[in-house]
Amino acid sequence: MQDDSFSTTLPDPRDPAWEPRADHMRAALRQAQRAADQKEVPIGAAIYFGNRLIAQAYNQVETLKDPTAHAEVIAITQAASALGDWRLTGCVLYVTKEPCPMCAGAIILARLPMAVWGVTDPQRGGAVSRFQILQNPAMNHRTEFRAGFMEEECRTILSGFFKELRSS
């Protein structure tokens, strides 16, 4: 019996008619909550291959004592393992906050065609705000993006975390 969730006829997220899905972002939000519960900066990521969730992660910098243990990097590693290929060309990354420069670089290297995030980071954003890595013409690949998707929900978890941190 064929597994239709791994169909090779995937919707193309670069198609203007393609729309991000709230249930996919909610998976990233659940991961962000896991990070907050562990006193990590609450950023969560989920990667979908078509409609199949193949990776999900949250920031684990403090837990792992690893400055590269960002949600996006961990999720990209999981997705590559799930697909058996480092090229994630049929996938979409959902993340609660705009990727930093390191994560934006990993997104490009993984050949992700689309990244969707909730909160833009004008001070440190590596995707498009501070640094324009995802659409940089010097790169060998470009990643389309949708910013501000479910922004209110994503901002709430971040601001709540930092408010609690400052009060303790």
Side-chain angles (χ1 to χ4, degrees):
M1 183 171 185
Q2 185 177 351
D3 181 358
D4 291 332
S5 61
F6 261 180
S7 169
T8 56
T9 57
L10 298 171
D12 185 352
R14 294 166 298 194
D15 180 338
W18 180 86
E19 290 295 327
R21 293 186 44 176
D23 58 324
H24 291 185
M25 181 60 88
R26 280 194 287 279
L29 281 162
R30 284 190 297 275
Q31 292 299 305
Q33 186 58 57
R34 288 185 68 189
D37 293 345
Q38 295 185 22
K39 307 297 185 224
E40 294 276 359
V41 174
I43 299 172
I47 298 178
Y48 283 82
F49 182 79
N51 289 324
R52 183 171 179 177
L53 176 64
I54 61 168
Q56 56 186 336
Y58 56 92
N59 274 8
Q60 297 180 50
V61 172
E62 299 298 332
T63 302
L64 299 177
K65 308 294 186 237
D66 179 355
T68 69
H70 290 200
E72 301 95 322
V73 171
I74 295 168
I76 287 168
T77 300
Q78 291 173 357
S81 179
L83 294 180
D85 193 350
W86 60 269
R87 294 173 194 88
L88 303 179
T89 55
C91 299
V92 176
L93 167 71
Y94 288 81
V95 62
T96 54
K97 188 176 87 52
E98 179 182 357
C100 73
M102 174 187 69
C103 293
I107 290 165
I108 292 293
L109 292 172
R111 308 294 196 271
L112 279 155
M114 175 64 75
V116 177
W117 65 82
V119 178
T120 298
D121 184 354
Q123 293 180 324
R124 290 171 291 283
V128 297
S129 294
R130 184 71 165 171
F131 305 97
Q132 293 76 41
I133 294 172
L134 295 186
Q135 292 289 305
N136 190 315
M139 303 302 281
N140 65 337
H141 174 75
R142 300 270 188 288
T143 297
E144 297 297 323
F145 64 91
R146 301 279 175 96
F149 185 68
M150 296 179 62
E151 182 175 9
E152 181 75 28
E153 296 93 326
C154 295
R155 185 175 307 285
T156 297
I157 194 165
L158 279 164
S159 59
F161 173 81
F162 286 112
K163 182 178 180 180
E164 183 179 318
L165 190 65
R166 285 188 297 273
S167 70
S168 58

